[in-house]
Amino acid sequence: MPMDTRQLPYSKQTISGEKHPDRLSAEAFRSAVWVRDQGKDRATGAPLVKWDPHWDKQGQVCHLRSRGAYPDLAVDPDNAVLLSGRMHWLSDGRGGKRLRMTDPKSGEPATDGSKPIRFILTDKVGAVIWERIS
């Protein structure tokens, strides 16, 4: 049975009309990451572009902590870094999580994209191919 909202002591509408007016839009979130990382792949330092079919040149915004587990951080620029399509693919389950992103001091998984991050690329058996702090 539908609830009669006329009897509530407060309005169900928010002042701004938006569910979370303090959050960035998805477009503003991606733009903030592109600006902060200066259009370069944080893992390799290579320049990236927004639209390119070649996945080594195409820039993608990669979340450090997943959107599903941390929905409140989905549009937080500090929870993301700019990577090429290839590096993004290697950093998640699609690529076997061969690109690891860790805190340079503690070795724990990186949680803040605005701070330096150690990027470690491994081969299929886990041997380190290269590592870089950026």
Side-chain angles (χ1 to χ4, degrees):
M1 177 182 253
M3 187 166 108
D4 184 4
T5 57
R6 291 177 289 163
Q7 297 176 2
L8 293 175
Y10 56 89
S11 171
K12 289 196 64 131
Q13 297 273 336
T14 60
I15 294 169
S16 67
E18 298 177 30
K19 187 172 183 181
H20 299 286
D22 57 326
R23 290 189 185 175
L24 292 175
S25 68
E27 185 177 328
F29 156 71
R30 287 189 300 272
S31 179
V33 174
W34 272 87
V35 168
R36 184 199 62 218
D37 292 345
Q38 302 173 351
K40 294 181 181 177
D41 184 330
R42 285 282 300 270
T44 66
L48 300 171
V49 294
K50 290 186 179 182
W51 307 106
D52 194 300
H54 196 277
W55 69 338
D56 284 323
K57 296 179 183 174
Q58 180 190 78
Q60 297 180 3
V61 174
C62 173
H63 287 84
L64 296 173
R65 292 176 277 183
S66 73
R67 293 174 296 167
Y70 300 93
D72 55 318
L73 299 176
V75 291
D76 180 356
D78 290 343
N79 183 43
V81 293
L82 184 61
L83 296 175
S84 68
R86 179 186 306 271
M87 290 296 123
H88 191 184
W89 186 84
L90 287 168
S91 73
D92 62 25
R94 300 171 295 171
K97 297 187 179 186
R98 292 177 42 205
L99 178 67
R100 291 180 308 184
M101 296 175 270
T102 63
D103 181 277
K105 294 177 183 173
S106 70
E108 295 293 318
T111 59
D112 191 343
S114 67
K115 295 181 179 176
I117 295 175
R118 180 184 308 272
F119 294 89
I120 305 166
L121 183 66
T122 61
D123 63 12
K124 290 181 180 179
V125 295
V128 174
I129 297 172
W130 57 258
E131 76 179 68
R132 175 178 192 259
I133 296 177
S134 155

